[in-house]
Amino acid sequence: MKFTDAVKTCFGKYLTFSGRAQRSEYWWFVLFVVLVSVVSAILDSFLFGVDAETGEGRQVITPLVQLGVALPMLAAGWRRLHDTGRPGWYLLLPLGLSLASVVLLLSGVAAFSVLEQNVENADALRGPAAFLGVGGLVTVWILQLALSILMIWWLTRPSQEGENDYGPSMT
């Protein structure tokens, strides 16, 4: 599949989470999303300026572009995983890990805050709380990195030959 065909296909199937997507379809669309994101960031800088002190600029176009390509990108990745014989929901594993880590982090803060009120020397809890917090964040970071590498590995695998559980081969 060529670049323009891939972009047309992914936008044409922006809500289609069934079926399969060839490697070329997915990766050409990824390239398109990266290029459009870079162009939108440049346009934001030119149109809305950049603060000289902080180096930050007002972004108006970039979030709109990212919002516009988020669902087609998710659907294309979902179909791409189907093409390799894997369930599309695997694409949500890194997001699930992130949400679980936020819930655990907030639960830990709440638990130590309750414990802190029932102890005479609250400073004694700060060391263990910091150790658990940093240890948990490092663990989540390592797991997130491993999941991201695994996801890239799966998305780069060749198509499963013939028909699989998700439909006939696209080649």
Side-chain angles (χ1 to χ4, degrees), residues 118-138:
N118 298 326
V119 175
E120 283 184 29
N121 185 8
D123 289 335
L125 290 175
R126 295 216 169 105
F131 177 75
L132 286 173
V134 170
L137 288 175
V138 168

PDB file of all heavy atoms in Angstrom, residues 118-138:
ATOM      1  N   ASN A 118      -2.381   9.432  62.682  1.00  0.00           N
ATOM      2  CA  ASN A 118      -2.485   8.562  63.849  1.00  0.00           C
ATOM      3  C   ASN A 118      -1.136   8.264  64.504  1.00  0.00           C
ATOM      4  O   ASN A 118      -1.049   7.406  65.374  1.00  0.00           O
ATOM      5  CB  ASN A 118      -3.166   7.250  63.476  1.00  0.00           C
ATOM      6  CG  ASN A 118      -4.584   7.471  62.991  1.00  0.00           C
ATOM      7  OD1 ASN A 118      -5.276   8.364  63.470  1.00  0.00           O
ATOM      8  ND2 ASN A 118      -5.013   6.679  62.036  1.00  0.00           N
ATOM      9  N   VAL A 119      -0.087   8.935  64.064  1.00  0.00           N
ATOM     10  CA  VAL A 119       1.252   8.687  64.592  1.00  0.00           C
ATOM     11  C   VAL A 119       1.782   9.971  65.213  1.00  0.00           C
ATOM     12  O   VAL A 119       1.553  11.068  64.696  1.00  0.00           O
ATOM     13  CB  VAL A 119       2.182   8.208  63.445  1.00  0.00           C
ATOM     14  CG1 VAL A 119       3.602   8.047  63.921  1.00  0.00           C
ATOM     15  CG2 VAL A 119       1.678   6.915  62.854  1.00  0.00           C
ATOM     16  N   GLU A 120       2.509   9.821  66.326  1.00  0.00           N
ATOM     17  CA  GLU A 120       3.068  11.009  66.977  1.00  0.00           C
ATOM     18  C   GLU A 120       4.148  11.664  66.133  1.00  0.00           C
ATOM     19  O   GLU A 120       4.191  12.871  65.991  1.00  0.00           O
ATOM     20  CB  GLU A 120       3.655  10.622  68.344  1.00  0.00           C
ATOM     21  CG  GLU A 120       2.611  10.417  69.409  1.00  0.00           C
ATOM     22  CD  GLU A 120       3.247  10.133  70.757  1.00  0.00           C
ATOM     23  OE1 GLU A 120       4.368  10.608  71.005  1.00  0.00           O
ATOM     24  OE2 GLU A 120       2.609   9.436  71.551  1.00  0.00           O
ATOM     25  N   ASN A 121       5.046  10.851  65.585  1.00  0.00           N
ATOM     26  CA  ASN A 121       6.141  11.390  64.783  1.00  0.00           C
ATOM     27  C   ASN A 121       5.866  11.116  63.300  1.00  0.00           C
ATOM     28  O   ASN A 121       6.264  10.091  62.758  1.00  0.00           O
ATOM     29  CB  ASN A 121       7.468  10.761  65.221  1.00  0.00           C
ATOM     30  CG  ASN A 121       8.646  11.371  64.501  1.00  0.00           C
ATOM     31  OD1 ASN A 121       8.506  12.360  63.778  1.00  0.00           O
ATOM     32  ND2 ASN A 121       9.806  10.777  64.694  1.00  0.00           N
ATOM     33  N   ALA A 122       5.201  12.052  62.651  1.00  0.00           N
ATOM     34  CA  ALA A 122       4.813  11.878  61.246  1.00  0.00           C
ATOM     35  C   ALA A 122       6.025  11.854  60.326  1.00  0.00           C
ATOM     36  O   ALA A 122       5.989  11.245  59.249  1.00  0.00           O
ATOM     37  CB  ALA A 122       3.865  12.995  60.830  1.00  0.00           C
ATOM     38  N   ASP A 123       7.129  12.495  60.747  1.00  0.00           N
ATOM     39  CA  ASP A 123       8.332  12.502  59.906  1.00  0.00           C
ATOM     40  C   ASP A 123       8.919  11.100  59.730  1.00  0.00           C
ATOM     41  O   ASP A 123       9.599  10.831  58.744  1.00  0.00           O
ATOM     42  CB  ASP A 123       9.386  13.429  60.513  1.00  0.00           C
ATOM     43  CG  ASP A 123       9.004  14.897  60.391  1.00  0.00           C
ATOM     44  OD1 ASP A 123       8.220  15.212  59.461  1.00  0.00           O
ATOM     45  OD2 ASP A 123       9.477  15.715  61.206  1.00  0.00           O
ATOM     46  N   ALA A 124       8.649  10.213  60.679  1.00  0.00           N
ATOM     47  CA  ALA A 124       9.162   8.846  60.591  1.00  0.00           C
ATOM     48  C   ALA A 124       8.543   8.091  59.419  1.00  0.00           C
ATOM     49  O   ALA A 124       9.125   7.134  58.907  1.00  0.00           O
ATOM     50  CB  ALA A 124       8.888   8.097  61.891  1.00  0.00           C
ATOM     51  N   LEU A 125       7.376   8.494  58.972  1.00  0.00           N
ATOM     52  CA  LEU A 125       6.711   7.827  57.847  1.00  0.00           C
ATOM     53  C   LEU A 125       7.162   8.350  56.488  1.00  0.00           C
ATOM     54  O   LEU A 125       6.923   7.711  55.473  1.00  0.00           O
ATOM     55  CB  LEU A 125       5.192   8.004  57.961  1.00  0.00           C
ATOM     56  CG  LEU A 125       4.508   7.255  59.087  1.00  0.00           C
ATOM     57  CD1 LEU A 125       3.032   7.623  59.134  1.00  0.00           C
ATOM     58  CD2 LEU A 125       4.672   5.766  58.905  1.00  0.00           C
ATOM     59  N   ARG A 126       7.795   9.491  56.473  1.00  0.00           N
ATOM     60  CA  ARG A 126       8.142  10.110  55.183  1.00  0.00           C
ATOM     61  C   ARG A 126       9.181   9.301  54.411  1.00  0.00           C
ATOM     62  O   ARG A 126       9.112   9.194  53.191  1.00  0.00           O
ATOM     63  CB  ARG A 126       8.599  11.542  55.415  1.00  0.00           C
ATOM     64  CG  ARG A 126       7.461  12.378  55.942  1.00  0.00           C
ATOM     65  CD  ARG A 126       7.461  13.785  55.421  1.00  0.00           C
ATOM     66  NE  ARG A 126       6.188  14.384  55.791  1.00  0.00           N
ATOM     67  CZ  ARG A 126       6.039  15.271  56.761  1.00  0.00           C
ATOM     68  NH1 ARG A 126       7.090  15.684  57.433  1.00  0.00           N
ATOM     69  NH2 ARG A 126       4.846  15.763  57.027  1.00  0.00           N
ATOM     70  N   GLY A 127      10.141   8.717  55.110  1.00  0.00           N
ATOM     71  CA  GLY A 127      11.161   7.892  54.443  1.00  0.00           C
ATOM     72  C   GLY A 127      10.559   6.673  53.771  1.00  0.00           C
ATOM     73  O   GLY A 127      10.769   6.448  52.573  1.00  0.00           O
ATOM     74  N   PRO A 128       9.794   5.849  54.532  1.00  0.00           N
ATOM     75  CA  PRO A 128       9.161   4.691  53.878  1.00  0.00           C
ATOM     76  C   PRO A 128       8.187   5.088  52.768  1.00  0.00           C
ATOM     77  O   PRO A 128       8.104   4.413  51.747  1.00  0.00           O
ATOM     78  CB  PRO A 128       8.418   3.992  55.024  1.00  0.00           C
ATOM     79  CG  PRO A 128       9.108   4.433  56.266  1.00  0.00           C
ATOM     80  CD  PRO A 128       9.628   5.807  55.987  1.00  0.00           C
ATOM     81  N   ALA A 129       7.473   6.183  52.953  1.00  0.00           N
ATOM     82  CA  ALA A 129       6.532   6.631  51.919  1.00  0.00           C
ATOM     83  C   ALA A 129       7.282   7.020  50.650  1.00  0.00           C
ATOM     84  O   ALA A 129       6.882   6.649  49.544  1.00  0.00           O
ATOM     85  CB  ALA A 129       5.703   7.805  52.427  1.00  0.00           C
ATOM     86  N   ALA A 130       8.390   7.735  50.822  1.00  0.00           N
ATOM     87  CA  ALA A 130       9.187   8.134  49.655  1.00  0.00           C
ATOM     88  C   ALA A 130       9.784   6.909  48.972  1.00  0.00           C
ATOM     89  O   ALA A 130       9.796   6.819  47.738  1.00  0.00           O
ATOM     90  CB  ALA A 130      10.280   9.102  50.082  1.00  0.00           C
ATOM     91  N   PHE A 131      10.273   5.954  49.768  1.00  0.00           N
ATOM     92  CA  PHE A 131      10.857   4.738  49.201  1.00  0.00           C
ATOM     93  C   PHE A 131       9.817   3.965  48.385  1.00  0.00           C
ATOM     94  O   PHE A 131      10.087   3.540  47.262  1.00  0.00           O
ATOM     95  CB  PHE A 131      11.418   3.843  50.309  1.00  0.00           C
ATOM     96  CG  PHE A 131      11.959   2.540  49.808  1.00  0.00           C
ATOM     97  CD1 PHE A 131      13.181   2.491  49.150  1.00  0.00           C
ATOM     98  CD2 PHE A 131      11.237   1.367  49.966  1.00  0.00           C
ATOM     99  CE1 PHE A 131      13.674   1.284  48.669  1.00  0.00           C
ATOM    100  CE2 PHE A 131      11.718   0.157  49.489  1.00  0.00           C
ATOM    101  CZ  PHE A 131      12.947   0.121  48.840  1.00  0.00           C
ATOM    102  N   LEU A 132       8.623   3.778  48.961  1.00  0.00           N
ATOM    103  CA  LEU A 132       7.566   3.064  48.246  1.00  0.00           C
ATOM    104  C   LEU A 132       7.119   3.826  47.003  1.00  0.00           C
ATOM    105  O   LEU A 132       6.873   3.233  45.951  1.00  0.00           O
ATOM    106  CB  LEU A 132       6.377   2.812  49.169  1.00  0.00           C
ATOM    107  CG  LEU A 132       6.567   1.729  50.223  1.00  0.00           C
ATOM    108  CD1 LEU A 132       5.376   1.695  51.170  1.00  0.00           C
ATOM    109  CD2 LEU A 132       6.757   0.378  49.565  1.00  0.00           C
ATOM    110  N   GLY A 133       6.998   5.144  47.122  1.00  0.00           N
ATOM    111  CA  GLY A 133       6.580   5.950  45.976  1.00  0.00           C
ATOM    112  C   GLY A 133       7.572   5.901  44.837  1.00  0.00           C
ATOM    113  O   GLY A 133       7.216   5.636  43.685  1.00  0.00           O
ATOM    114  N   VAL A 134       8.844   6.126  45.143  1.00  0.00           N
ATOM    115  CA  VAL A 134       9.878   6.113  44.098  1.00  0.00           C
ATOM    116  C   VAL A 134      10.049   4.700  43.545  1.00  0.00           C
ATOM    117  O   VAL A 134      10.164   4.511  42.327  1.00  0.00           O
ATOM    118  CB  VAL A 134      11.217   6.668  44.646  1.00  0.00           C
ATOM    119  CG1 VAL A 134      12.354   6.432  43.670  1.00  0.00           C
ATOM    120  CG2 VAL A 134      11.081   8.150  44.947  1.00  0.00           C
ATOM    121  N   GLY A 135      10.049   3.711  44.435  1.00  0.00           N
ATOM    122  CA  GLY A 135      10.158   2.319  43.979  1.00  0.00           C
ATOM    123  C   GLY A 135       9.010   1.932  43.065  1.00  0.00           C
ATOM    124  O   GLY A 135       9.200   1.275  42.043  1.00  0.00           O
ATOM    125  N   GLY A 136       7.802   2.358  43.436  1.00  0.00           N
ATOM    126  CA  GLY A 136       6.643   2.074  42.595  1.00  0.00           C
ATOM    127  C   GLY A 136       6.722   2.764  41.243  1.00  0.00           C
ATOM    128  O   GLY A 136       6.419   2.166  40.212  1.00  0.00           O
ATOM    129  N   LEU A 137       7.148   4.022  41.247  1.00  0.00           N
ATOM    130  CA  LEU A 137       7.265   4.754  39.979  1.00  0.00           C
ATOM    131  C   LEU A 137       8.331   4.156  39.073  1.00  0.00           C
ATOM    132  O   LEU A 137       8.142   4.060  37.857  1.00  0.00           O
ATOM    133  CB  LEU A 137       7.546   6.229  40.248  1.00  0.00           C
ATOM    134  CG  LEU A 137       6.376   7.034  40.808  1.00  0.00           C
ATOM    135  CD1 LEU A 137       6.820   8.455  41.146  1.00  0.00           C
ATOM    136  CD2 LEU A 137       5.218   7.057  39.837  1.00  0.00           C
ATOM    137  N   VAL A 138       9.452   3.740  39.645  1.00  0.00           N
ATOM    138  CA  VAL A 138      10.504   3.107  38.839  1.00  0.00           C
ATOM    139  C   VAL A 138      10.000   1.784  38.264  1.00  0.00           C
ATOM    140  O   VAL A 138      10.226   1.480  37.090  1.00  0.00           O
ATOM    141  CB  VAL A 138      11.791   2.911  39.680  1.00  0.00           C
ATOM    142  CG1 VAL A 138      12.779   2.005  38.971  1.00  0.00           C
ATOM    143  CG2 VAL A 138      12.424   4.260  39.986  1.00  0.00           C
TER     144      VAL A 138
END
